[in-house]
Amino acid sequence: EIYALTTWLLQMERQGKLDSELATVISSISLACKQIAAAVGRSGISSLTGVAGTGENIQGEEQKKLDVISNDIFCNVLRMSGRTGVIASEEEATPVAVEETDSGNYIVVFDPLDGSSNIDAGISVGSIFGIYEPSETCIVEGEFDKSLESCITNVCQPGKNLLAAGYCLYSSCHTFVLTIGDGVYGFTLDPYVGEFVLTHDRIKVPEVGKIYSFNEGNYQLWDEPTKAYMDSLKEPSKWGGKPYSARYIGSLVGDFHRTLLYGGIYGYPGDKKNKNGKLRLLYECAPMSFIAEQAGGAGSTGTQRVLDIEPTEVHQRVPLMIGSKKEVEYYESFYKS
């Protein structure tokens, strides 16, 4: 029996767990993910690899062709849904007011293509999104002005206010992982019917997991608690003769998806070069932490719960430790001591 995402959304609506307008937004995002999955799959054939030639994005990163295409796809489907008031993309300098809104005014934040530096090598990439409550105090009319940036910051408060969050992993199969605040569900794209179908019902991250996913090339730039933590994972005598295993793809969605299913910890700490790490609070850390907590895991900066952080700017960066609850707590213990 095929249990499609659209059927699942209708079921959740009947149960009163979301309204029809939020279901429309999520359905529109799933359509964007299908389009991006097709573009990723044909990138080598359709000359979509390499840099776009548009220079650097707001993050100071050189945009790949698929970054630009994925961002356009997300923006277009969210505008056409008629249910979004403001959309904010990691690829854009500022949030964008949606003039085509009929109702809803949901706030959608997204990273259209995370890990795109891997795309030319055919390694897993993904999209991340978060949806916030509509705001009657933040309806932008007329031309865009600077007030919109403070507006989106006020609306996208702490991650604990998220209504829904999810990601889509583009890999050997394309997996759409979603939470609406009542557990985590995984849907796999069936190429024969063109639908995301339920394959992972109520995902639970293992409480412990002996896999760590850090970029150890930055070891010498880390602070002493993080170095001590990493050294402890490699000490066989602490773990019954078998130290932790290292697995690092360099794509947040890919590394997190493995951590969600197998347990362990993904980390991108701050360092001497990037004091707050490189991951964005609104587009990456908050949505992923919301998913982790809904699956029984945790998301932390090492000293603070990610979902409690009040954003002070749209592209704010924070350190991120995410995964199995006990593994994240073990990392935090090095800062408490």
Side-chain angles (χ1 to χ4, degrees), residues 59 159 252 266-271 274-289 299-322 331:
Q59 314 295 342
L252 172 59
Y266 170 87
Y268 206 113
D271 56 40
N274 300 289
K275 183 180 177 183
N276 294 313
K278 294 186 73 175
L279 301 178
R280 269 64 56 158
L281 173 61
L282 287 181
Y283 314 109
E284 297 164 319
C285 301
M288 289 305 215
S289 295
S300 171
T301 65
T303 58
Q304 183 181 9
R305 179 183 178 229
V306 169
L307 295 185
D308 287 335
I309 301 173
E310 298 272 357
T312 56
E313 56 184 84
V314 173
H315 295 287
Q316 181 177 344
R317 300 174 192 246
V318 296
L320 179 66
M321 309 301 139
I322 193 168
Y331 179 89

